[in-house]
Amino acid sequence: QVQLVESGGGLVQSGDSLRLSCAMAGRTFGEYTMGWFRQAPGKEREFVAGVIWSDRNTYYADFVKGRFTISRDNAKNTVYLQMNSLKPEDTAVYYCAAKRGWGTYTALNQYDAWGPGTQVSVSS
């Protein structure tokens, strides 16, 4: 059974940066595509970024391109989300997700496991 735990959220000001981490346990990390999603108050959970095997195989939602970078360390079973130039509209709970297999998965129901989430709040 896959277990995911996010960390690194917090309260920052507009323009600041944050780095989220997600550690995976329970299965072979390299067999999984990893994704980040977010859910703002009153809104549906949405895809943010994904990484397949290595940092050369990444894909993003249009609204974060150029600001966020997803990466993974297969030796540490960890995926990261570097968030730069944060905006108040980036305020949300950020979730890490794992999908067994390799592909560009962006839909919630494609993922097999989820972390509990970490809150990111950006003040103006």
Side-chain angles (χ1 to χ4, degrees):
Q1 184 176 357
V2 173
Q3 296 174 328
L4 302 170
V5 178
E6 304 96 337
S7 61
L11 173 63
V12 296
Q13 293 186 331
S14 182
D16 285 351
S17 299
L18 272 178
R19 187 194 196 202
L20 305 183
S21 300
C22 172
M24 177 177 167
R27 288 291 186 268
T28 303
F29 185 67
E31 294 179 352
Y32 286 77
T33 293
M34 301 299 296
W36 284 98
F37 290 75
R38 70 184 187 185
Q39 187 166 16
K43 295 187 177 181
E44 295 185 349
R45 194 172 300 187
E46 62 183 355
F47 170 77
V48 175
V51 58
I52 304 174
W53 164 249
S54 72
D55 297 348
R56 290 174 290 181
N57 302 106
T58 60
Y59 51 106
Y60 299 89
D62 287 342
F63 57 80
V64 299
K65 285 182 179 177
R67 297 192 300 126
F68 292 9
T69 302
I70 189 171
S71 62
R72 65 190 293 165
D73 186 333
N74 290 333
K76 295 182 178 180
N77 292 355
T78 301
V79 61
Y80 305 96
L81 185 67
Q82 177 67 44
M83 304 185 295
N84 298 329
S85 303
L86 283 162
K87 306 174 182 180
E89 51 265 43
D90 294 318
T91 294
V93 177
Y94 283 71
Y95 297 91
C96 172
K99 162 65 180 175
R100 188 171 184 183
W102 297 346
T104 53
Y105 305 110
T106 61
L108 275 69
N109 61 8
Q110 292 179 303
Y111 283 81
D112 303 318
W114 294 83
T118 185
Q119 177 70 48
V120 172
S121 299
V122 185
S123 63
S124 58

